[in-house]
Amino acid sequence: MTAFTGDVVYDMIFVTNLAMSALMALVVEIAGWFPFLKHRPRLRHVLWLLVLIKLIPWPAIPVAVLPAQVVESTRVEAEPPRIVASDVPASTPQSVERARPVALTTSEGHAWRRLTSLSLAADRLKAGDWRAFFLAVTFGLTAVFLWRGWRQHRGASRLIDCAACADGRVVRLAGEAGRLMGVDPAPAVRVVGGRMTPLLWLGRRLPTIVLPAELVERLDDDQIRCILCHELAHYVRRDVWTGLFAFMTAAVYWWNPVAWWGRREMLSAQEECCDALVIFKTNVSRKKYAETLLETIEFINAESPGLPLLASGFGRSFATRRRFEMIAESQVRRRLLGLG
């Protein structure tokens, strides 16, 4: 049993890590009901990101806490048995003298070690069948999630590469949005057909904002500027990379509800952070911004298109109530919204 103490320790660390992640998520969720955290989306974003990071069982931690007895006991069991003087009763000194030179020969010692190693390996394989099955299923479905994400990413990349460049009106608004958000040079803007959410796409050189042509025709200049500023806020905050990390964590821990819960709440906090950043930097009318968000959500909900990997969108429909409550705040301040 001592040979498997290390596995038991690893299992305990793994289970404890999952329990701590679930407890952290529950605490952050409950704290988000109160005004202190409810009106600070940036702080909530950081906390949910920490919940996802906590899910990762860092390999340096269990190595430091493994008991030294595990290594010692394993080494002793692997050695061939030898007869020593202490194993012989003191009343028979002649037997002691005869027992001293008794030891296995070199070939016998090697055979004993091979037999012991095969026995330990068989026992370990038998005891680790459930681990092997669990890892096989986990890696298999993780590969499926990653493959689907990569396929969606490639499809969106081809669609955007074939999309038409925006007209002069949208290009002018994009330049104004870039100056307001402090992004220089101005981002590239492409227009695509169909119903999809406006999104930020990381191109090879410049960030690219993708807008549906039908939505551009329905919105006025101020509303289009709001959408462009929101997508540039994602670029300023580097939300694409935190979103990619959240996706990878959810793909690895697809069986853990905390991973999907944390990813959803973190992306929701991202949208609120970008809403607050746009209102703070552009001084846009809160009413105009809320109308733009509502009209965009109604536009994309007709088909509910998915958002490709490595993209951040404006019209995500989850947690819309919290976003509208934040937009309706009488004052948008750094301290209240956690922007500074």
Side-chain angles (χ1 to χ4, degrees), residues 82-102:
R82 297 178 180 274
I83 302 176
V84 295
S86 59
D87 297 333
V88 182
S91 60
T92 57
Q94 295 179 356
S95 300
V96 173
E97 295 298 328
R98 288 194 302 269
R100 290 183 185 279
V102 175

Side-chain angles (χ1 to χ4, degrees), residues 161-224:
D161 290 339
C162 297
C165 297
D167 56 15
R169 171 198 174 208
V170 178
V171 171
R172 174 179 57 83
L173 295 175
E176 296 176 2
R179 288 190 294 270
L180 290 172
M181 301 303 297
V183 177
D184 186 31
V189 182
R190 291 184 177 270
V191 179
V192 297
R195 292 180 179 269
M196 62 177 296
T197 178
L199 57 88
L200 171 70
W201 186 263
L202 290 186
R204 297 178 181 178
R205 297 181 180 179
L206 297 175
T208 301
I209 298 177
V210 183
L211 301 175
E214 185 179 347
L215 182 63
V216 172
E217 296 175 357
R218 294 171 55 175
L219 301 180
D220 58 29
D221 289 358
D222 292 336
Q223 291 176 315
I224 294 177

Side-chain angles (χ1 to χ4, degrees), residues 41 45 230-231 234 237 239 266-277 289 293 307 312-316 318-319 323 326:
H45 178 266
H230 180 95
E231 300 307 326
H234 282 296
R237 288 173 36 83
D239 284 338
M266 194 198 74
L267 295 179
S268 174
Q270 279 184 3
E271 299 302 324
E272 293 181 60
C273 288
C274 292
D275 293 337
L277 189 61
Y289 194 89
L293 177 59
L307 196 64
S312 300
F314 174 73
R316 283 174 169 166
F318 53 77
R323 293 180 67 181
M326 190 279 302

Side-chain angles (χ1 to χ4, degrees), residues 24 28 31 37 42-52:
M24 287 177 58
V28 175
L37 192 59
R42 184 178 181 182
L43 179 57
R44 281 192 287 107
H45 178 266
V46 172
L47 292 177
W48 282 111
L49 181 60
L50 291 177
V51 170
L52 295 177

Side-chain angles (χ1 to χ4, degrees), residues 10-283:
Y10 276 100
D11 293 342
M12 292 178 62
I13 292 175
F14 185 70
V15 173
T16 303
N17 191 68
L18 295 181
M20 290 297 297
S21 302
L23 181 60
M24 287 177 58
L26 185 61
V27 170
V28 175
E29 176 66 21
I30 295 176
W33 299 346
F34 297 93
F36 176 80
L37 192 59
K38 183 178 181 180
H39 299 302
R40 287 174 168 81
R42 184 178 181 182
L43 179 57
R44 281 192 287 107
H45 178 266
V46 172
L47 292 177
W48 282 111
L49 181 60
L50 291 177
V51 170
L52 295 177
I53 294 175
K54 179 59 180 173
L55 283 172
I56 303 175
W58 301 102
I61 297 177
V63 173
V65 301
L66 280 177
Q69 294 86 336
V70 176
V71 180
E72 295 295 333
S73 61
T74 305
R75 185 179 67 250
V76 170
E77 291 182 4
E79 295 179 354
R82 297 178 180 274
I83 302 176
V84 295
S86 59
D87 297 333
V88 182
S91 60
T92 57
Q94 295 179 356
S95 300
V96 173
E97 295 298 328
R98 288 194 302 269
R100 290 183 185 279
V102 175
L104 297 178
T105 62
T106 303
S107 60
E108 291 174 340
H110 290 328
W112 171 263
R113 290 187 178 90
R114 285 197 297 269
L115 180 61
T116 304
S117 301
L118 291 175
S119 177
L120 290 176
D123 293 342
R124 183 177 293 271
L125 181 61
K126 185 182 300 182
D129 283 345
W130 69 270
R131 293 186 182 89
F133 176 76
F134 176 77
L135 291 176
V137 174
T138 298
F139 290 155
L141 290 181
T142 297
V144 171
F145 279 111
L146 295 178
W147 176 78
R148 290 184 60 185
W150 175 248
R151 184 179 179 182
Q152 189 181 32
H153 174 77
R154 289 188 60 186
S157 179
R158 293 174 181 174
L159 176 64
I160 294 172
D161 290 339
C162 297
C165 297
D167 56 15
R169 171 198 174 208
V170 178
V171 171
R172 174 179 57 83
L173 295 175
E176 296 176 2
R179 288 190 294 270
L180 290 172
M181 301 303 297
V183 177
D184 186 31
V189 182
R190 291 184 177 270
V191 179
V192 297
R195 292 180 179 269
M196 62 177 296
T197 178
L199 57 88
L200 171 70
W201 186 263
L202 290 186
R204 297 178 181 178
R205 297 181 180 179
L206 297 175
T208 301
I209 298 177
V210 183
L211 301 175
E214 185 179 347
L215 182 63
V216 172
E217 296 175 357
R218 294 171 55 175
L219 301 180
D220 58 29
D221 289 358
D222 292 336
Q223 291 176 315
I224 294 177
R225 192 183 297 110
C226 289
I227 295 178
L228 294 172
C229 289
H230 180 95
E231 300 307 326
L232 289 179
H234 282 296
Y235 177 75
V236 172
R237 288 173 36 83
R238 304 295 189 268
D239 284 338
V240 171
W241 303 115
T242 54
L244 177 61
F245 170 76
F247 171 79
M248 297 293 291
T249 304
V252 173
Y253 293 94
W254 54 264
W255 45 268
N256 192 345
V258 176
W260 298 100
W261 183 14
R263 178 174 181 259
R264 178 185 177 88
E265 293 298 326
M266 194 198 74
L267 295 179
S268 174
Q270 279 184 3
E271 299 302 324
E272 293 181 60
C273 288
C274 292
D275 293 337
L277 189 61
V278 171
I279 295 174
F280 177 79
K281 282 196 170 186
T282 64
N283 291 322

